[in-house]
Amino acid sequence: MDLGVLSETFMQHAVLAAVLAGVSCACIGVAVVTMRLSFIGVCMSHAAFAGALLGLLIGMPPMWVAFPFSLLAAALIGPLADRAEFSPDTALGIIFSGTLGVSFVLVGLIPGPKAEALRLLWGSILTVGPASLVLLGASTLLVIALVIVFFKEIQAVIFDRRIATAVGVPAGAVFYTLLVVSGATITGALNVVGGLLVFSLIVNPAAAAYLLTYRLDRMFLIASAIGVASGLIGIAVSYWADLPSGASIVLVSTVLFAIAAALSPKRRARAAEAAP
Amino acid sequence: MSESAISIERARVQRNGTPVLSDVTISVGPGEMVGLIGPNGAGKTTLLNLVNGLVRPSVGSVRVLGRDLARAGGNEVRREVATVPQTRAIDPRMPLLVREAVLMGRYGRIGLGRRSARRDRAVAEGAIAQVGLSHLADRPIGHLSGGEQQKVALGRALAQEARVVLLDEPLNSLDRSAQADFVEALRKVHEERGLTIVFVSHELDTLARLCTQVIALKDGRIAAAGPARGILDDAALMARLFASNGKSGA
């Protein structure tokens, strides 16, 4: 196997982007998967995608518009998910369909070829530039700092927001901070794996880690490792098999999830409990 | 005479313009265990939320451990007031050990963004031992039975070093043996720590054994309050409280 390509700048950028996106998306994924709000990723990524399309349409840098759009989605998701008359899934479904509709309208309004719009949808890790790397690096540092400093608060909110509040943790503030940082992470990863596929990079590594450990600190580490592995193996597959990079990364993360599900001690424990 | 641990005067709570508590006045002395009964929708949980500062009255006053809740911050109050909620199903795969679930009771005291110190962990270990769960401390919380999970919630309240504990129907959906086990743990804890406890339950016999006084709520108002035996043995009152609820004991 020729590894000379690793000396190329574009590949070094791609590897760095895969590591950063793998870690940041996986950490956010741990929160949304354990809170059973996995659909939040798809909602916010589509909102970011719609924002990026609007940026293209009005001639602004797409990421500048994508971030406030994902924050807007977060600002809508939180209160809707909190209201008793809606289940969180219903609230997320309403926002998802809305952002999807806006995205398609904006794609239709963009004049000429739609290549740039499609790149935002599918991502292109092999062409990621320094500006995107800086944005991704900043969002990754933000996520890591949040997890390290507020680990115990995140743990309490993940377990039960009512109990977190009852023991004196500002659960609402922690929950909304998680949503805002999810928006930043999704925006940062938009160029790498695309608006459509970032959802998989959030959910798959975290869901795999969920099956492998009963410790939340280890879950963050395992999910990050699976996220990074998905990115690096996905890039390799994409480069050598000449396949789309975003889709390759997502498919690898899906395969890694399937392996985790097969090896899961939790699955084996449940099977043993169910046996007569 | 010592000041009440909980003192609510003429409190009114509204939700979406509809009163859920009206003209509620109660007083609970330090170290007292008080039962709270009433049919579903009577306002029992709202009353507990009034005490732990999650709900504010539109009219009237609430004082807990000498603090006026109109002036004190909610999180500040909740460091001293622990809540043991109703049982709920916990995902068996939840990444949280029993030890961590009990230590969570310290989080408000430890403070935002700070790590637990050796003393916090020692207090949590003591609480685990006091509710008899030391042998399960390293087990995932989702692997415990409903009764054991309720003991974890009680352990969390002890780790919190709260002086007031609010129990919101902790016996619901527990079998008789688990109920007896939990009640025994509660009785010991109350005796040893002298906690002020408000105990919402449909298990009237249990309340009769443990509580000094009982408050009966109906339609958001206090229907009766007084010595436990006097209230719980009043057949006419019980019939009036629960007649339209279709329950004998609730």
Side-chain angles (χ1 to χ4, degrees):
Chain A
M1 189 182 290
D2 178 17
L3 295 178
V5 69
L6 289 174
S7 61
E8 302 281 349
T9 305
F10 83 91
M11 188 53 89
Q12 288 166 356
H13 283 179
V15 167
L16 185 56
V19 170
L20 294 172
V23 171
S24 59
C25 288
C27 288
I28 287 303
V30 168
V32 300
V33 164
T34 47
M35 286 194 289
R36 295 177 179 266
L37 289 172
S38 301
F39 209 57
I40 224 167
V42 79
C43 243
M44 292 176 74
S45 61
H46 280 77
F49 175 57
L53 289 174
L54 183 64
L56 278 182
L57 192 65
I58 62 178
M60 282 180 71
M63 295 308 118
W64 289 18
V65 192
F67 185 46
F69 260 61
S70 65
L71 290 189
L72 181 65
L76 290 172
I77 288 166
L80 276 176
D82 276 343
R83 290 173 77 137
E85 59 260 44
F86 287 112
S87 76
D89 283 350
T90 308
L92 292 169
I94 291 165
I95 294 168
F96 169 66
S97 56
T99 54
L100 202 60
V102 170
S103 300
F104 277 107
V105 166
L106 290 171
V107 168
L109 290 175
I110 291 172
K114 317 287 188 196
E116 185 64 11
L118 289 174
R119 197 183 66 74
L120 286 170
L121 188 62
W122 297 106
S124 178
I125 200 168
L126 296 176
T127 60
V128 68
S132 296
L133 276 177
V134 168
L135 182 65
L136 187 55
S139 65
T140 306
L141 283 178
L142 184 66
V143 172
I144 292 172
L146 183 79
V147 170
I148 290 174
V149 175
F150 298 109
F151 178 80
K152 74 178 196 306
E153 287 81 9
I154 293 171
Q155 182 187 48
V157 168
I158 281 173
F159 174 52
D160 190 319
R161 280 168 66 192
R162 284 177 319 150
I163 289 173
T165 304
V167 298
V169 169
V174 173
F175 179 67
Y176 282 96
T177 302
L178 283 172
L179 288 186
V180 169
V181 174
S182 299
T185 304
I186 287 164
T187 305
L190 200 64
N191 259 357
V192 180
V193 284
L196 200 58
L197 303 180
V198 69
F199 168 60
S200 310
L201 209 48
I202 287 175
V203 173
N204 290 356
Y210 193 56
L211 295 174
L212 295 174
T213 180
Y214 289 108
R215 298 286 302 267
L216 189 63
D217 48 358
R218 289 179 196 163
M219 190 176 163
F220 275 109
L221 293 173
I222 294 170
S224 298
I226 293 174
V228 169
S230 302
L232 297 181
I233 299 170
I235 288 172
V237 170
S238 160
Y239 183 76
W240 277 293
D242 197 19
L243 294 171
S245 55
S248 301
I249 291 170
V250 168
L251 283 176
V252 170
S253 77
T254 308
V255 169
L256 292 178
F257 171 78
I259 292 170
L263 298 176
S264 168
K266 298 185 182 183
R267 183 170 159 268
R268 286 203 301 270
R270 284 170 78 87
E273 275 173 24
Chain B
M1 188 178 152
S2 60
E3 191 182 10
S4 297
I6 302 168
S7 169
I8 301 178
E9 296 221 8
R10 305 187 68 84
R12 178 186 172 91
V13 175
Q14 298 196 114
R15 193 174 297 133
N16 300 326
T18 310
V20 285
L21 284 181
S22 300
D23 201 22
V24 168
T25 297
I26 65 169
S27 174
V28 180
E32 198 177 355
M33 186 168 344
V34 172
L36 188 56
I37 62 170
N40 294 333
K44 303 185 294 293
T45 300
T46 306
L47 183 53
L48 296 189
N49 286 339
L50 205 54
V51 176
N52 70 13
L54 285 173
V55 167
R56 302 280 165 141
S58 54
V59 176
S61 69
V62 181
R63 289 182 73 82
V64 178
L65 299 169
R67 283 201 193 95
D68 183 349
L69 295 204
R71 281 195 274 274
N75 286 332
E76 183 192 331
V77 171
R78 285 188 286 277
R79 277 172 212 147
E80 303 266 21
V81 180
T83 304
V84 175
Q86 293 184 31
T87 31
R88 63 171 189 102
I90 297 177
D91 183 350
R93 291 163 300 186
M94 174 61 70
L96 188 76
L97 304 181
V98 167
R99 177 172 278 118
E100 295 170 317
V102 172
L103 183 62
M104 209 171 272
R106 305 290 305 161
Y107 287 1
R109 286 185 179 273
I110 293 168
L112 199 61
R114 295 182 179 197
R115 290 178 182 277
S116 56
R118 187 177 296 171
R119 179 176 183 276
D120 297 307
R121 292 189 289 276
V123 169
E125 291 301 323
I128 292 169
Q130 194 163 5
V131 294
L133 290 179
S134 295
H135 61 299
L136 298 174
D138 290 317
R139 291 273 293 275
I141 184 156
H143 286 197
L144 269 54
S145 68
E148 289 164 341
Q149 286 177 4
Q150 282 307 82
K151 282 190 181 177
V152 171
L154 185 58
R156 185 164 49 240
L158 299 182
Q160 198 171 332
E161 292 184 317
R163 289 152 65 196
V164 174
V165 178
L166 310 174
L167 302 159
D168 192 359
E169 302 190 30
L171 306 179
N172 271 14
S173 68
L174 300 187
D175 61 32
R176 285 284 159 200
S177 149
Q179 282 187 5
D181 219 18
F182 179 86
V183 166
E184 180 52 22
L186 178 67
R187 193 192 57 74
K188 267 193 191 164
V189 161
H190 180 239
E191 204 173 279
E192 288 168 17
R193 298 209 180 194
L195 298 168
T196 304
I197 296 177
V198 180
F199 188 175
V200 176
S201 180
H202 296 313
E203 300 298 326
L204 304 185
D205 290 343
T206 302
L207 295 182
R209 271 190 289 125
L210 294 179
C211 300
T212 43
Q213 63 162 320
V214 165
I215 298 162
L217 277 178
K218 186 170 170 76
D219 299 329
R221 291 176 179 276
I222 292 183
R229 274 289 170 207
I231 297 287
L232 297 169
D233 290 344
D234 185 340
L237 172 66
M238 291 300 117
R240 207 167 66 240
L241 274 181
F242 301 113
S244 57
N245 204 232
K247 292 187 180 184
S248 58

